[in-house]
Amino acid sequence: MKKQCMVLLVENNAGVLARISSLFVQRGFNIDSLTVGVTECPEYSRITISMSGDGYAREQMINQLRKLYNVKKVEVLEDDSIRRELMLIKVKNDSATRADVLAAVDVYRAKVIDYTTDELCVEITGDPTKIDAFVKLMVPFGIIEM
Protein backbone atom coordinates (compact mmCIF):
# COMPACT_ATOMS: atom_id res chain seq x y z
CA MET A 1 0.00 0.00 0.00
CA LYS A 2 1.55 3.23 -1.17
CA LYS A 3 0.39 6.76 -0.38
CA GLN A 4 -1.03 8.52 -3.41
CA CYS A 5 -1.69 12.23 -3.61
CA MET A 6 -4.09 13.86 -6.08
CA VAL A 7 -4.96 17.49 -6.71
CA LEU A 8 -8.38 18.33 -8.15
CA LEU A 9 -9.64 21.59 -9.60
CA VAL A 10 -13.40 21.65 -9.04
CA GLU A 11 -16.29 24.06 -9.30
CA ASN A 12 -16.77 26.05 -6.10
CA ASN A 13 -20.34 24.88 -5.46
CA ALA A 14 -22.15 23.29 -2.54
CA GLY A 15 -22.18 19.50 -2.59
CA VAL A 16 -19.06 18.96 -4.72
CA LEU A 17 -16.97 17.74 -1.80
CA ALA A 18 -19.76 15.38 -0.75
CA ARG A 19 -19.87 13.87 -4.26
CA ILE A 20 -16.13 13.36 -4.32
CA SER A 21 -15.87 11.84 -0.84
CA SER A 22 -18.85 9.55 -1.49
CA LEU A 23 -17.06 8.30 -4.61
CA PHE A 24 -14.25 7.04 -2.37
CA VAL A 25 -16.73 5.41 0.01
CA GLN A 26 -18.57 3.67 -2.83
CA ARG A 27 -15.30 2.16 -4.10
CA GLY A 28 -14.17 1.15 -0.61
CA PHE A 29 -11.11 3.42 -0.52
CA ASN A 30 -10.07 5.42 2.51
CA ILE A 31 -9.05 9.08 2.37
CA ASP A 32 -5.94 9.64 4.52
CA SER A 33 -6.07 13.43 4.34
CA LEU A 34 -8.20 16.01 2.60
CA THR A 35 -7.60 19.72 2.10
CA VAL A 36 -9.93 22.14 0.34
CA GLY A 37 -9.40 25.78 -0.47
CA VAL A 38 -10.60 28.41 -2.89
CA THR A 39 -8.19 29.31 -5.71
CA GLU A 40 -7.20 32.68 -7.15
CA CYS A 41 -10.34 32.34 -9.28
CA PRO A 42 -13.36 32.28 -6.89
CA GLU A 43 -15.36 30.03 -9.23
CA TYR A 44 -13.00 27.11 -8.52
CA SER A 45 -11.66 25.28 -5.49
CA ARG A 46 -8.58 23.10 -5.18
CA ILE A 47 -8.93 19.78 -3.37
CA THR A 48 -5.85 17.82 -2.31
CA ILE A 49 -6.57 14.19 -1.45
CA SER A 50 -4.13 11.70 0.01
CA MET A 51 -5.08 8.02 -0.09
CA SER A 52 -3.41 4.68 0.42
CA GLY A 53 -3.58 2.09 -2.30
CA ASP A 54 -1.84 0.42 -5.18
CA GLY A 55 -1.54 1.65 -8.76
CA TYR A 56 -4.86 0.03 -9.70
CA ALA A 57 -6.70 1.91 -6.93
CA ARG A 58 -5.15 5.20 -8.01
CA GLU A 59 -6.03 4.71 -11.67
CA GLN A 60 -9.58 3.68 -10.81
CA MET A 61 -10.11 6.78 -8.65
CA ILE A 62 -8.59 9.10 -11.26
CA ASN A 63 -10.90 7.70 -13.95
CA GLN A 64 -13.96 7.98 -11.70
CA LEU A 65 -13.10 11.52 -10.60
CA ARG A 66 -12.68 12.68 -14.20
CA LYS A 67 -16.23 11.51 -14.94
CA LEU A 68 -17.74 13.93 -12.39
CA TYR A 69 -19.03 17.03 -14.17
CA ASN A 70 -17.92 19.36 -11.32
CA VAL A 71 -14.30 18.19 -11.60
CA LYS A 72 -12.36 20.28 -14.12
CA LYS A 73 -8.86 18.83 -13.68
CA VAL A 74 -7.23 15.86 -11.93
CA GLU A 75 -3.48 15.84 -11.35
CA VAL A 76 -1.39 13.20 -9.58
CA LEU A 77 1.50 14.43 -7.44
CA GLU A 78 4.56 12.29 -8.04
CA ASP A 79 6.98 11.06 -5.38
CA ASP A 80 9.41 13.93 -5.97
CA SER A 81 6.84 16.60 -5.05
CA ILE A 82 7.21 18.50 -1.77
CA ARG A 83 4.68 17.43 0.86
CA ARG A 84 4.17 19.13 4.18
CA GLU A 85 1.64 18.68 6.93
CA LEU A 86 0.33 21.07 9.56
CA MET A 87 -0.70 19.95 13.03
CA LEU A 88 -2.05 21.73 16.08
CA ILE A 89 -1.51 19.85 19.33
CA LYS A 90 -2.56 20.74 22.89
CA VAL A 91 -0.26 19.50 25.64
CA LYS A 92 -0.66 19.73 29.42
CA ASN A 93 1.17 22.69 30.90
CA ASP A 94 2.53 21.89 34.33
CA SER A 95 5.59 23.42 35.93
CA ALA A 96 7.49 20.11 36.11
CA THR A 97 7.50 19.48 32.35
CA ARG A 98 7.06 22.95 30.84
CA ALA A 99 10.77 23.45 30.15
CA ASP A 100 11.03 20.07 28.40
CA VAL A 101 8.01 20.80 26.20
CA LEU A 102 9.35 24.24 25.25
CA ALA A 103 12.78 22.73 24.49
CA ALA A 104 11.13 20.19 22.15
CA VAL A 105 9.17 23.00 20.48
CA ASP A 106 12.47 24.78 19.75
CA VAL A 107 14.22 21.65 18.47
CA TYR A 108 11.36 20.81 16.10
CA ARG A 109 11.03 24.45 14.96
CA ALA A 110 7.43 24.48 16.11
CA LYS A 111 5.58 27.47 17.52
CA VAL A 112 3.53 27.94 20.68
CA ILE A 113 0.35 29.65 19.54
CA ASP A 114 -1.64 29.57 22.79
CA TYR A 115 -0.40 29.44 26.37
CA THR A 116 -2.64 29.05 29.40
CA THR A 117 -2.02 27.85 32.93
CA ASP A 118 -3.42 24.42 32.03
CA GLU A 119 -2.28 23.79 28.47
CA LEU A 120 0.01 24.77 25.60
CA CYS A 121 -1.17 24.77 22.00
CA VAL A 122 1.66 24.08 19.56
CA GLU A 123 1.69 24.48 15.78
CA ILE A 124 4.13 22.29 13.86
CA THR A 125 4.68 21.89 10.13
CA GLY A 126 6.85 19.46 8.21
CA ASP A 127 6.93 16.07 6.60
CA PRO A 128 4.85 13.27 8.16
CA THR A 129 7.86 11.62 9.85
CA LYS A 130 8.70 14.87 11.67
CA ILE A 131 5.09 15.25 12.84
CA ASP A 132 4.95 11.63 14.04
CA ALA A 133 8.24 12.00 15.92
CA PHE A 134 6.96 15.14 17.65
CA VAL A 135 3.74 13.39 18.68
CA LYS A 136 5.71 10.46 20.17
CA LEU A 137 7.83 12.93 22.10
CA MET A 138 4.74 14.72 23.49
CA VAL A 139 2.90 11.57 24.66
CA PRO A 140 4.65 11.42 28.07
CA PHE A 141 3.80 15.08 28.74
CA GLY A 142 0.07 14.46 28.26
CA ILE A 143 -1.59 15.21 24.94
CA ILE A 144 -4.98 16.83 25.44
CA GLU A 145 -6.04 17.18 21.81
CA MET A 146 -4.62 16.96 18.30
Side-chain angles (χ1 to χ4, degrees), residues 11 20 23 29 45 58 72 83 87 122 128 134:
E11 292 176 359
I20 290 170
L23 191 64
F29 297 126
S45 292
R58 180 182 75 174
K72 301 303 175 195
R83 298 178 188 179
M87 182 181 70
V122 178
F134 187 76

Side-chain angles (χ1 to χ4, degrees), residues 23-58:
L23 191 64
F24 279 81
V25 172
Q26 292 168 358
R27 304 296 182 275
F29 297 126
N30 189 36
I31 296 174
D32 294 330
S33 69
L34 178 76
T35 307
V36 183
V38 73
T39 64
E40 64 280 355
C41 181
E43 294 122 28
Y44 297 106
S45 292
R46 183 177 324 281
I47 299 176
T48 305
I49 300 172
S50 176
M51 66 175 273
S52 296
D54 56 10
Y56 171 75
R58 180 182 75 174

Side-chain angles (χ1 to χ4, degrees), residues 13 16 19 32 56 61 71 108:
N13 295 329
V16 174
R19 277 190 214 97
D32 294 330
Y56 171 75
M61 286 312 303
V71 176
Y108 280 84

Side-chain angles (χ1 to χ4, degrees), residues 67-124:
K67 290 179 184 178
L68 295 176
Y69 67 91
N70 296 107
V71 176
K72 301 303 175 195
K73 183 178 179 183
V74 178
E75 186 177 332
V76 177
L77 296 179
E78 300 301 326
D79 292 333
D80 61 346
S81 60
I82 298 171
R83 298 178 188 179
R84 296 181 55 85
E85 292 184 0
L86 165 70
M87 182 181 70
L88 298 176
I89 182 170
K90 282 185 185 177
V91 183
K92 289 182 184 174
N93 182 14
D94 62 36
S95 58
T97 60
R98 182 179 308 127
D100 294 331
V101 171
L102 293 175
V105 166
D106 286 340
V107 168
Y108 280 84
R109 295 186 192 142
K111 186 167 56 171
V112 175
I113 60 170
D114 190 30
Y115 186 97
T116 66
T117 56
D118 298 331
E119 60 193 37
L120 293 166
C121 186
V122 178
E123 174 186 346
I124 182 168

